[in-house]
Amino acid sequence: MTRSVYVRRRPRVTDAWLDRLLPASCVSCGSRLDDAGRGLELCRRCRGRLVAWPTTVCPGCGEPGPRDTGALCAELCARCRARPLPWSRLICGWRYQEPMDAVVKALKFGRQDYLASYWGDALAYRVVGAALPSFDAVVPIPLHWRRRMSRGYNQAALLAEPLARACDAPLRSLLARPRATTQRSLLPAAARQPLGEAFRARQRSPTTVALVDDVMTSGATLASAARALRHAGAREVVAVTLARTPDTPLAADVVYDCK
C-alpha cells in the first residue's frame, strides 16, 4: 500500500502573509496552490499524478518481480544474484516523471532549495516505514566543488538532513568528488560512459550507512559512491533516492569489486 506524502506544515500566519506578498504557483503546471500544496509546491491535480516507486520490489535493483505478491521482497532477483552489488538495499521514493521531474528541476536548477526540507521529510517517512537496520551515518552524494559553488548548495545534502533526524543518525560528509563529471541525467542513455571511481572516502566509514541522492537513472553514480564507502570499511550501504527514472535498467558497472 502506498503511503501518503507527509508534509511539514508552516504556521497559518506565515501562509497568509506569503499569499499576500508572493502568491504561490505549482512548479509543474503553474496553477495557484491550495493550502495543502505549499511546501511541496504542487497543486491538488499534480499531487494526484505523483506515482510512488513500489515497495514490493527486488531489494537490489528495485525492480518489481514477474509476480507482484503485495509483500516486501526479501530476496534478490536472479539478475542481482548473478552479480555482487555495492549496496545491500535500494529504496526509491517516486517515479521521475511529471510532475516529480518539475520538482527536482526546481530544486536543482531553480534555486528553490526550500523544497528539499519538505520532500526530504516525505522521503524520510518512506524510509523509516521500511524494515531497515539502524544507520551509523547518513551520507549525501557530494557535488564537485565547481558545481557546488555555482548552485550554492548540494541538494542531496539538504534531502539527507530530514532522514538523519528521523533515523537519529549523524549526517556526515564522508565522500569527496575530486573530478568533475558530466551530469548524466542530461545525456541520452547511449552517450553515458562508465563512471568509474568518481568518489573517494575522506576517512574510514562506519559499518551501516544510508547513501542519499536526488535522482537515480542507471545507478552508476550511486554505485561509484557505494563502492568508495565499502572500500573504506562500510559493511552495509542502503542507497536512498528521492526519485528514479522508470524503465531504466541498472548500468553494467553497477557492481562491487571487493578486492
Side-chain angles (χ1 to χ4, degrees):
M1 180 173 65
T2 301
R3 296 177 181 270
S4 60
V5 174
Y6 169 75
V7 182
R8 185 172 58 187
R9 296 292 300 122
R10 288 196 301 253
R12 291 185 179 276
V13 174
T14 304
D15 288 341
W17 277 105
L18 286 177
D19 265 347
R20 291 185 179 184
L21 296 174
L22 296 170
S25 59
C26 175
V27 296
S28 182
C29 69
S31 62
R32 184 161 181 165
L33 292 179
D34 55 20
D35 184 66
R38 295 188 182 92
L40 297 177
E41 301 305 297
L42 292 174
C43 67
R44 185 186 302 273
R45 175 177 175 272
C46 288
R47 290 197 310 275
R49 295 164 58 208
L50 287 168
V51 180
W53 199 267
T55 56
T56 55
V57 294
C58 167
C61 64
E63 293 294 339
R67 289 189 303 167
D68 188 350
T69 62
L72 183 68
C73 297
E75 296 184 358
L76 298 174
C77 67
R79 287 175 297 181
C80 290
R81 288 196 300 269
R83 60 178 172 181
L85 294 169
W87 53 68
S88 55
R89 177 82 179 270
L90 174 65
I91 298 178
C92 305
W94 289 267
R95 290 170 69 94
Y96 187 71
Q97 61 187 37
E98 293 183 355
M100 178 53 74
D101 58 345
V103 172
V104 173
K105 289 172 183 175
L107 171 62
K108 294 177 71 169
F109 309 119
R111 298 189 179 275
Q112 294 178 247
D113 56 327
Y114 63 89
L115 286 167
S117 175
Y118 292 89
W119 282 101
D121 277 341
L123 180 61
Y125 184 78
R126 288 179 61 85
V127 174
V128 170
L132 296 173
S134 59
F135 299 123
D136 300 313
V138 176
V139 179
I141 293 283
L143 293 176
H144 186 262
W145 66 269
R146 287 199 204 88
R147 188 168 295 162
R148 171 67 174 77
M149 286 186 64
S150 65
R151 187 168 297 170
Y153 55 86
N154 177 6
Q155 71 281 352
L158 297 181
L159 288 168
E161 287 177 5
L163 178 59
R165 288 195 301 268
C167 298
D168 194 24
L171 181 66
R172 298 183 60 185
S173 299
L174 296 181
L175 295 173
R177 197 168 195 159
R179 62 185 179 90
T181 55
T182 304
Q183 190 155 320
R184 295 172 70 84
S185 61
L186 300 179
L187 296 174
R192 294 176 190 150
Q193 299 299 318
L195 193 62
E197 303 310 318
F199 303 93
R200 63 174 176 81
R202 301 176 185 269
Q203 54 188 301
R204 291 288 296 173
S205 172
T207 302
T208 305
V209 175
L211 178 64
V212 181
D213 202 5
D214 53 357
V215 178
M216 172 180 165
T217 49
S218 68
T221 299
L222 279 170
S224 179
R227 282 194 296 265
L229 291 172
R230 293 291 301 274
H231 285 302
R235 294 184 181 178
E236 189 166 3
V237 177
V238 177
V240 179
T241 70
L242 177 65
R244 179 175 177 181
T245 56
D247 305 319
T248 304
L250 294 184
D253 55 342
V254 179
V255 294
Y256 174 55
D257 181 4
C258 59
K259 296 181 181 179

